[in-house]
Amino acid sequence: MFRTALRNVLAHKARLLMTVLAVMLGVAFVSGTLVFTNTISDAYQKSSAKGFDQVDVAVRPTYQESAGDSVGKLSDLTQATLDKAAKVPGAASATGVVSGFTAVADRHGKLVGGDWQSNGGNYWGTRDARYPLVSGHAPHGSGEVLLDSKTAKRAGYRVGDTVRLSVNGPVLTPRLAGVFTTDDGNVSAGGSLALFDTPTAQALFGKKGGYDEIDVKAAPGTGQSALKAALDKALPAHLVKTTTGKQLADDQAKQIADSMSSLRQALLVFAGIALFVGTFIIANTFTMLVAQRTRELALLRAVGASRRQVTRSVLLEAFAVGTVAGVAGLAAGIGIGAGLRSLLGSFGASVPDGPLVISPGTVAAALAVGVLITMLAAWLPGRRAAKIPPVAAMSSVHAKATTKSLVLRNTLGALFAGAGVAVVLAATTMDADSAQGPMGLGAVLLIIGVFILTPLLSRPLIAAAAPVLRAFGVSGKLARQNSVRNPRRTAATASALMIGLTLITGMTVMAGSLQTAIDKMASSAIRADYVVSMANRSPLSPDVSQKLATAKGVTASSPLRNAESRIDGKTEFLTGVDGSSIGELTDLKVDQGAFTVSGTRVVVDKDRAEEYGWTPGSHFTAHFEDGKARTLTVAGVYEGNDLINGIMLDDTVLTPHLKDPADMQVMVRTAGGASGATKDRLAEMLGKNPAIKIQDKQDISNSIAQMFTTMLNMLYGLLGMAVIVAVLGVVNTLAMSVFERAQEIGMLRAIGLDRKAVKRMVRLESLVISLFGGVLGIGLGVFFGWAAGQLLGTKMPTYELVLPWGRMAVFLLLAGTVGVLAALWPARRAARLNMLAAIKAE
């Protein structure tokens, strides 16, 4: 039986090629994902570990919990703490670290390093081993700065040039004193790092003689644990926390592994989809191969082979195919992993240097996936073949499915589909956080149910295409009949395409609806022409709002100044605004009272009003960071959203209680309204600051929706793999169908059907099957998009379902194109059959 199985594999090499390709693509996706994420994770972990080479123990401030109604805060790491740490037995040196956001502009004024990866810090001096100088000298005073070598090269700066940068608003123009190298993982990932001397960094980052961290280097012969114990003994435990360099490196490695885990899981989900689609192709292929060899298998049974041996011979064929596909997929996956890493560079993302990581687990996973998926898909056809009585198989009286089996299949499909719809509908009435699990379960049940019912659905849906197919004469009529001749095979072929289009359509519906909801949110909440903020959403210097308030053409402006407070023993953030102009800059719906912000009169959003039981006229006491308290009065309750919410009070009341006032953003309204010229004028007035974003309402909407758009484009690419596998399935099914119908096609040719008509028949058959799968996929995608939108609507009042008719038409056109392209080779093969040889085929 083993020799028989191998002989059958070698005898049907061409027929199994599509199956090998389908499995190979899925395996390549899995192994490529593992190689890519393992390589990136290993590179970042090694890079981050190098960053801790100069740190044996890190001393960090602790968060001082609030007592009663006082506001909590971080403890201070002062110069005295640094001096004490340096004198601890076993310490060779202690370095005070100051850091914060620092945006560096290139020679064209554009931000280098990205919104979230632009950092700054202090250079400790010539003995600072963390940042070896390549050229120049250490910075002295506020007029000098150092840049890492990668940033200096990208920005086009050389030692002695004037650098444009910003920390919290105002533009600074220090001279580039030197260039250094660093193993900082953030810089390796494409970020930037600017270093100042310690007094300048402390002034820029608001430390005023303090530090964010103190890094202590152990003396020779002193271990990290011993040094940590000495520091714990010398420093007050309630004010500082000590951590060894090894622990920091381990924690960083864990964070990197966790972040890579999320990416790996997301990619593997799509690899799983591709493999799931591939199972239909494998099952189809083996079903047809077994059907073609029914008499051969019956003869084996007649000469003594048992049912198990017949099933085992089919599984051995699947094992051989799966092994070949697994090995080929692993090789392709290694190439994909290397290609993805290179692709990151083309998108401007830099990755630390490191070798390509091909772990034993990756090799084992690739081979296991290839073999197991193929064998599982082939098991049912093999088992079905083994159950056919030898005499019936030799007489070919077994072919058609019984009415009982079809009724059982349709009943089972209806139960699955009904249960799936019921669970999805029930999930739409639940809380968004708790509904995710039921929603996913319902979606899986519905897709399985529709797949089981697809043979039943194929007849009426394909029959609906009959009027169109009649226009193609005999070829159209034959194509329709061939499409429904074997509904199970048609169903499996169409389902492969259906799954990919279901996911693509569902996500497109959600993305379009979200974009509309965000546009509505921005236009309904904001009357201001522009919102000014830092690129990384860090606080703005108060100087920015002062400049904007006095700028030419500005008719109204208001900062949104956030500050922590304690109300009824809870931490709440207050937003200080210009009470006289905030009403002109926002358009928030007021549920109760009036939108009045003046003196101690404040407005609160609906959620907080319900939480504290406030109504217009209610009084409450807010405790500020300076320890003082004020009694505030609720003037109105408004409906908040993701852009504007919370407690708003006049900044003349809030600011006197703040040690370092800072604004999260500034709203601006101009006389001429939003325009390119006005935006350029505001940017010029702010010194063309690389750290500052000036956004109109559409910019805000686009920036929020950008992550959805980026994610959607990534998903289109990932799901493209599933569509490619589906195309192979259509090609495979048609090729096998042509082989099965060789005698029939020869007869048609003999009675007058020319080659052109034969090609047209096969193409139309492929087109009908593909459009059938496309219609099912788009229909399911719209349903799932609606259901997911119901959950989003509970958290986003402006959400409403928007059907992207244009894109859905493109998806349907894509399905048709898939059908046409997939039929090219099978149609050509059918047309080239020798009619006499085909008629004699058995």
Side-chain angles (χ1 to χ4, degrees), residues 392-403:
M394 290 179 182
S395 305
S396 298
V397 298
H398 64 286
K400 292 186 178 181
T402 64
T403 303

Side-chain angles (χ1 to χ4, degrees), residues 1 11 23 33 71 239 321 328 349 392 431 451 457 483 549 650 679 683-684 691 719 721 733 743 758 833:
M1 295 303 293
V23 179
T33 294
V71 177
L239 294 179
V321 172
D431 178 74
F451 168 64
L457 298 173
S483 300
D650 200 297
K679 188 174 184 178
E684 187 74 35
L719 288 171
M721 181 73 74
T733 298
Q743 190 175 43
V758 169
L833 283 175

